[in-house]
Amino acid sequence: MSRSKLKKLGLNLPILPMTSVGSFPKPPYLLEARKKFAAKQMKHADLRELEIRATREWIRKQESLGIDVMVDGEMYRGDMVAYFAENWEGFKTSGLVRSYGNRYYRKPIIVGEVKAKGPLTVDWWKFVQSLTEMPLKGMVTGPYTMMDWLFNEYYPTRRDACLAMAKVIRGEVKSLVKAGAKIIQIDEPAISARPEELPEFAIEAMKDVTKGIDAYFITHICYGAFEFIYPEMLKLSVDNFDLEMSNSGLDLLKLFKKHPFTKDISFGVTDIHTHVIESNELVEQRIRSALEVLKPEQVWVDPDCGLKTRTTEEAIGKLKAISVAVKKIRRELEA
Amino acid sequence: MELKAANNGSYPRISDDDQRHRQAYAKLDSKEIAWDDFEKVQDEVTRDAIEEQAKAGLDIVTDGQIRWYDPVSHIARNLEGCEINGLLRFFDTNFYFRQPVIKGKISRRDSLAKEYRFASGVSSKPVKQVITGPYTEAKLSINNSKADFRALVDEFAKVIAQEVKDLAGAGAKFVQIDEPAILKKPADFAILEKAVKKISAAKGGIELSLCTYFGDAAPLYKKLVTLPVDTLSFDFTYSPSLPDLIAEKGCEKNLGLGIIDGRNTRLDDKDNVLAKIVKIMPAVEGETIYIMPSCGIGDYLPRGTAFKKLQIVAETTEKARQMK
Ligand SMILES: [Zn+2]
């Protein structure tokens, strides 16, 4: 339980803190602008202006819903792996690879030693944090997911590639913390890809990223085969696991009953794969189910995953349902 | 015992220089062209994919599964009693498939034999037809029918057995049933076994293969060798212990060695590959060892790299032949 750690960091969060996983839908004007920019019909400065506008809008929206820990909504980036790979040294781009249906993309290939050119997300983080009084998460993609979602032609093994990633990501995390970030999220959606690699090196890599750094660490994991990595995954050196719970009908709670969940959790209470906006009652019910197995001090509440694939209305609807349900249960807990 | 160079399954449909399939697909989507026009492009691209595989030096090719939207929904689209839903990640890859939703009793509208006939008609090499297996189809579907999971696997097995029978009628010699999902739940082996028996009963003169990938087959090896199939194919990139295990336990069947990494662009070290083949060779009592990529390469590798991978398959097969 890391309530005391949060306090020590100067973060006075209410019970059941509300947050988001990371991405929000990009508004139509930004999607349009990104297309134009890709087709070289728009200057980067003009695109930047619209990214800033969209980010401001999402910050205001989160504030008005009473969200406690902010995200920037990722208006400036597309893919969470490619963004880092494109801005670090040691990569080249592959030929076209299929993503689904008729969709293709270029996947970065590690061809040399991976190095940062300097802090990457820090200036943006500082700017967005300046827009709000609420704490803003610093966001990086985790070493295991970077390794698993890239082609690797340079490092002899998956382990070597993963640990090399960890070193570079640690640098970015340190810079974020130095700039004032107190909550750092390390996205590891792929962590359960090969369960045997968790004890072999994924846990070690996470330790390499977070060790000795004074911040509250969250890791986001989704689409996982949790039954293969739980409870082993609790050894990942973070304070909070942000998990996709609702997409699987809260099945994970059964595992938590067998092996107690020993860390904090950001409990996903809305399914991001469906267009349907969950009712306040359903979200409430999911939180109550969580509280049957977990202590209130352990639990944060958020959507299952990034909301970027939903429409703006759906995303706001889902956040609103969370806000209403959390506020109701908070009142009960405080009474 | 004979060594043959084979493709595992899919082959990339586009490259940076050749995007006919992608463009035609977009035109089909926006209704600028009709389905028949699109099929003509699919025919052309299939023919080219087959030619490239032969050019790389393979002895057994596939149709590249150019017509497959993905490994799961291609089978399901052809079924009454089934709808196609949203995207879901395909195992631990960065590729997404559309999830079938089973609404009621399933039955075929058409047959894969049509695809086989086209492919074998334009190929200078024998064509292996790949089919995603009943267990994996059922596992990756949303089941809203009255049937429970076991019954659904049985229904898929019935449909796929009919498919295999049609393929035998069309003259197919090689059919590969893909069952990657069983590696995630070995406890379901009995369900798989029942389904494979049903398919095997329909195979006629076909050399029937069962293929797993994206997981370690070693824990299930002892059981898999008891299945009524002619060939077993495994993904060796997930299983460091498999060569030793096979060398120790032996194999009475033909063996497909998915030994060239189908998921990474790094070109495999040929000596390393060869060492594994040499270790396994003496243990195989079946007639044929197939050297293959570890999985279908159509959805994971750029086409240029895919071609080079198949060249490595052919070269290591040739080298292993000389060492026999
Ligand atoms: Zn996620």
Side-chain angles (χ1 to χ4, degrees):
Chain A
M1 253 121 300
S2 311
R3 281 264 141 190
S4 55
K5 181 169 188 179
L6 286 165
K7 283 228 174 75
K8 231 191 267 167
L9 288 164
L11 292 163
N12 247 320
L13 299 177
I15 201 81
L16 304 181
M18 285 186 270
T19 188
S20 302
V21 175
S23 67
F24 290 134
K26 296 184 175 75
Y29 64 79
L30 182 56
L31 290 175
E32 192 62 27
R34 283 172 67 91
K35 258 190 221 156
K36 275 194 189 158
F37 178 71
K40 301 198 166 72
Q41 292 160 2
M42 184 183 250
K43 279 186 287 182
H44 187 256
D46 296 334
L47 176 68
R48 199 60 167 177
E49 211 163 285
L50 295 175
E51 288 169 354
I52 288 171
R53 178 179 148 196
T55 304
R56 275 184 206 276
E57 288 167 5
W58 275 116
I59 289 289
R60 291 290 93 82
K61 187 43 85 181
Q62 292 175 80
E63 284 178 341
S64 73
L65 290 167
I67 304 290
D68 305 290
V69 175
M70 304 274 151
V71 297
D72 67 12
E74 299 174 10
M75 294 297 116
Y76 62 95
R77 71 186 209 198
D79 182 83
M80 59 182 281
V81 168
Y83 173 73
F84 289 96
E86 279 160 13
N87 287 286
W88 286 341
E89 281 172 36
F91 297 91
K92 74 171 189 193
T93 297
S94 80
L96 290 162
V97 179
R98 197 160 167 232
S99 167
Y100 65 88
N102 206 29
R103 195 69 82 86
Y104 298 83
Y105 69 110
R106 293 177 193 280
K107 185 165 164 173
I109 308 174
I110 309 174
V111 291
E113 194 186 336
V114 175
K115 281 186 218 151
K117 294 172 189 159
L120 180 58
T121 61
V122 174
D123 285 345
W124 180 255
W125 181 88
K126 273 200 240 174
F127 165 70
V128 181
Q129 180 65 86
S130 77
L131 301 176
T132 178
E133 298 290 309
M134 307 306 285
L136 174 74
K137 285 181 185 173
M139 300 282 233
V140 294
T141 304
Y144 188 86
T145 299
M146 287 293 291
M147 174 278 297
D148 194 55
W149 288 2
L150 293 166
F151 291 130
N152 166 29
E153 297 184 6
Y154 178 76
Y155 294 101
T157 64
R158 287 167 61 86
R159 179 176 195 274
D160 295 328
C162 182
L163 296 178
M165 288 295 168
K167 220 189 262 175
V168 186
I169 296 163
R170 179 179 176 83
E172 183 69 18
V173 169
K174 271 182 154 172
S175 306
L176 279 164
V177 171
K178 205 171 145 206
K182 297 194 159 89
I183 301 174
I184 303 287
Q185 180 169 310
I186 301 163
D187 287 329
E188 284 285 25
I191 198 88
S192 70
R194 302 191 185 188
E196 68 278 10
E197 290 177 340
L198 189 66
E200 282 168 17
F201 60 82
I203 290 170
E204 182 184 349
M206 186 63 90
K207 200 182 213 173
D208 286 352
V209 174
T210 62
K211 198 177 166 195
I213 298 177
D214 202 16
Y216 181 86
F217 286 102
I218 300 175
T219 187
H220 169 61
I221 302 177
C222 58
Y223 92 84
F226 290 103
E227 64 268 35
F228 298 116
I229 59 166
Y230 190 81
E232 183 80 17
M233 73 177 199
L234 291 170
K235 291 186 188 151
L236 286 165
S237 54
V238 296
D239 304 289
N240 184 317
F241 285 77
D242 184 348
L243 303 178
E244 186 180 48
M245 301 294 293
S246 295
N247 184 236
S248 55
L250 310 188
D251 269 357
L252 267 173
L253 282 176
K254 288 183 208 145
L255 289 179
F256 298 174
K257 276 181 199 160
K258 259 194 247 162
H259 301 275
F261 192 85
T262 52
K263 303 237 172 144
D264 292 352
I265 186 169
S266 299
F267 196 95
V269 291
T270 56
D271 184 351
I272 61 107
H273 295 288
T274 158
H275 294 286
V276 179
I277 296 168
E278 285 87 348
S279 67
N280 301 342
E281 290 72 29
L282 178 57
V283 172
E284 206 184 301
Q285 202 180 40
R286 285 173 177 161
I287 300 171
R288 290 188 199 284
S289 302
L291 293 177
E292 281 169 20
V293 183
L294 300 153
K295 296 196 187 83
E297 312 81 73
Q298 276 179 290
V299 179
W300 296 33
V301 184
D302 67 354
D304 267 1
C305 189
L307 285 162
K308 69 175 171 191
T309 55
R310 300 276 62 92
T311 66
T312 303
E313 291 68 37
E314 288 163 4
I316 292 173
K318 281 170 187 275
L319 290 175
K320 202 176 236 168
I322 291 176
S323 172
V324 172
V326 164
K327 283 174 187 165
K328 181 169 174 199
I329 296 179
R330 257 184 208 164
R331 279 194 296 274
E332 294 171 15
L333 288 171
E334 281 155 7
Chain B
M1 191 266 303
E2 225 183 336
L3 283 145
K4 284 184 178 163
N7 196 3
N8 191 318
S10 58
Y11 191 75
R13 37 178 81 182
I14 69 163
S15 68
D16 285 25
D17 312 323
D18 169 14
Q19 302 203 29
R20 278 170 301 166
H21 191 279
R22 187 187 196 181
Q23 286 152 359
Y25 200 120
K27 282 187 183 160
L28 178 73
D29 259 354
S30 60
K31 300 199 165 64
E32 283 169 71
I33 62 170
W35 177 257
D36 286 350
D37 303 323
F38 179 57
E39 275 290 273
K40 268 180 218 145
V41 177
Q42 300 223 83
D43 286 350
E44 274 173 37
V45 175
T46 301
R47 190 181 293 131
D48 290 354
I50 290 172
E51 238 165 63
E52 277 189 32
Q53 293 172 66
K55 201 169 120 200
L58 297 193
D59 305 304
I60 312 274
V61 301
T62 69
D63 68 355
Q65 298 181 273
I66 300 300
R67 300 171 209 273
W68 290 48
Y69 188 94
D70 62 59
V72 185
S73 69
H74 186 71
I75 304 283
R77 264 168 226 279
N78 187 32
L79 299 177
E80 296 290 346
C82 185
E83 283 173 15
I84 305 299
N85 211 18
L87 294 164
L88 196 69
R89 188 180 292 277
F90 189 56
F91 294 96
D92 64 344
T93 71
N94 279 348
F95 179 74
Y96 293 78
F97 71 97
R98 290 209 179 267
Q99 218 179 358
V101 185
I102 313 299
K103 301 265 183 177
K105 239 186 149 36
I106 55 174
S107 60
R108 285 187 312 163
R109 291 195 197 105
D110 205 346
S111 170
L112 286 174
K114 207 163 69 180
E115 295 174 14
Y116 172 76
R117 279 200 192 90
F118 176 83
S120 61
V122 299
S123 177
S124 59
K125 302 280 177 189
V127 174
K128 173 175 72 177
Q129 178 70 45
V130 177
I131 308 176
T132 306
Y135 179 82
T136 298
E137 282 290 334
K139 197 80 195 168
L140 299 183
S141 297
I142 298 169
N143 184 7
N144 288 344
S145 74
K146 288 194 189 108
D148 65 5
F149 178 67
R150 278 165 196 270
L152 183 60
V153 176
D154 279 349
E155 281 197 47
F156 268 112
K158 213 186 287 170
V159 162
I160 289 165
Q162 286 164 356
E163 209 61 88
V164 168
K165 198 174 165 207
D166 287 355
L167 285 162
K173 293 278 174 291
F174 304 97
V175 173
Q176 173 178 306
I177 307 291
D178 284 4
E179 287 287 16
I182 191 63
L183 299 183
K184 307 287 169 206
K185 206 171 179 201
D188 278 353
F189 180 78
I191 301 175
L192 174 78
E193 185 179 33
K194 192 176 167 209
V196 170
K197 279 183 178 160
K198 191 169 266 168
I199 295 168
S200 179
K203 78 185 177 88
I206 283 174
E207 183 183 318
L208 187 68
S209 158
L210 186 92
C211 182
T212 64
Y213 41 85
F214 303 160
D216 186 356
L220 254 183
Y221 180 74
K222 258 169 71 185
K223 286 186 172 171
L224 289 169
V225 294
T226 66
L227 289 173
V229 294
D230 305 293
T231 307
L232 287 170
S233 299
F234 302 120
D235 178 345
F236 283 73
T237 64
Y238 278 75
S239 186
S241 67
L242 204 50
D244 285 325
L245 181 71
I246 295 172
E248 187 201 322
K249 303 278 180 209
C251 183
E252 292 178 2
K253 300 182 189 304
N254 303 326
L255 205 54
L257 307 185
I259 213 164
I260 309 294
D261 192 341
R263 295 269 298 275
N264 194 4
T265 50
R266 174 174 19 216
L267 298 180
D268 310 68
D269 180 277
K270 288 176 205 162
D271 293 333
N272 191 352
V273 170
L274 207 57
K276 283 181 195 159
I277 300 173
V278 166
K279 185 181 273 180
I280 295 167
M281 261 196 312
V284 179
E285 293 166 48
E287 283 173 13
T288 317
I289 292 178
Y290 300 97
I291 310 302
M292 314 197 301
S294 58
C295 57
I297 49 180
D299 301 327
Y300 314 116
L301 295 176
R303 190 147 106 199
T305 311
F307 181 73
K308 286 184 196 152
K309 291 271 179 177
L310 294 185
Q311 284 181 315
I312 297 176
V313 167
E315 284 164 30
T316 48
T317 305
E318 187 50 41
K319 279 211 179 121
R321 270 184 201 131
Q322 290 160 10
M323 296 174 74
K324 208 164 61 175

